[in-house]
Amino acid sequence: MITRLLQLLDASPVNFLAVKTLETELQQAGFEPLDAAQPLGSMPQGRQFYVKKNDSSLYAFRIGRRPLSEAGFHIICAHCDSPTFRIKPNAEMTGEGGIVRLNTEVYGGPIMSTWFDRPLSLAGRVILRSSDPMRPQTRLLHVRRPLLQISNLAIHFNRQVNDGVKLSKQKDMLPLLGIVSEELERGQLLMNVITEELQVGAGDVLDFDLYLFDATPACTFGVHDEFISSGRLDDLSMVFAGLDALLMAGSRGEAETTQVLAIFDNEETGSQTKQGAGSPFLSSILQRIVSLQGGTGEDYFRAVEQAFMVSADNAHAWHPNYSEKYDPTNHPVLGGGPVIKFNAAQKYASDAASAAVFSELCRLAGVPCQRFVNHSDVAGGSTLGNILASSLPLRGVDMGNPILAMHSVRETGSVRDHEYCIRAFTQFYLS
Ligand code: CO
């Protein structure tokens, strides 16, 4: 089970590739691709399908036996984007000796120092010319070899480096790409990488959304291999737990309730995009499902009232080196099971009623369950659940597996928690 997670993580260096990984897995399990711009077709019980938005968000469905107005939807949502660095347009900066760096822009809130001195590479999408200017072609790019590195300044030039360093996003975070070896390469190194990888001509490349990622594969560590070390555990570990629960639920006979897996983009920048949780896209697809089953507007509103959402985004695990940062009585530990997140200011969707549902599902699945609240002097983060509530007023819970070093280029998770989470999610889909 954990080898599979590591493989899925390595196949998913950025949002676009994560969606591609999901798509491949869903197709193998018999889910049909649908296009939101076309009629979605009929919605009989047992039908399994998915739709994408912008190639960077994906919504998968299995239609259940019970009417939606009575049983509602069982929705797990998570996000496929993670903090990284986006390659700017006109990115090449050629300096002394023909040494080329790429100009980058921060995406989300990475711990920037963790990106230094490790092999990095490039992934994302490249847009190619087609015969229709309104509909250019999209190709995904995943450079699998180490291609770049952001190198530190030697300690001899900064003896205070171990006392903390202030980093400039514009000056310090520019990765080395190569050294110009002939004049023809000047200003063309990045384009040469793209055209060689995709086997296209430079004249066909119209634009790209490309990002850096850690080129070192995900792995487990610890005496008992009990920890996971990988980039993007936030939130791909929840994405793939949701995927495996959906596939597992499908192997247990016909679905009672309609099961939904919603994977949003752009959580790390506030979710307010057409492919983010702030978009009405999911609610419009849910409405279309109800009406394609012959349901009315009334039936849709009833289905929303009956629905339950598990908003799955990683939680902070108790860090033994920094115990003073945590709430004195609610500090979930690695390996202790999925975490329900609470916040009095309602940054999280959980309340006593919805937390009771999720903890009971965990109990039925034979899985321990933990609770997280911020140390009262620490601001903490936010997530998907409440943003989604503006278009879909769902009953639901914010939860996630505990991890250390959230937003580091490599986060630390727990093998056992991943297995627990799949069991709890499967229980939810089948309840
Ligand atoms: Co997250």
Side-chain angles (χ1 to χ4, degrees), residues 79 81 234-235 267-268 312-314 341 382-383 406-407:
H79 66 90
D81 63 318
D234 174 14
D235 193 26
E267 191 276 339
E268 300 293 356
D313 198 357
N314 292 88
K341 305 186 221 175
S382 64
T383 180
M406 189 177 285
H407 292 191

Side-chain angles (χ1 to χ4, degrees), residues 164-184:
V165 179
K166 185 161 173 46
L167 295 173
S168 156
K169 293 169 186 165
Q170 186 60 65
K171 173 181 166 57
D172 296 302
M173 306 313 295
L174 306 183
L176 297 173
L177 174 64
I179 299 173
V180 172
S181 64
E182 50 177 290
E183 268 316 293
L184 271 177

Side-chain angles (χ1 to χ4, degrees), residues 9-23:
L9 287 165
D10 288 338
S12 310
V14 292
N15 51 358
F16 299 107
L17 275 301
V19 164
K20 179 73 200 160
T21 303
L22 284 169
E23 189 171 16

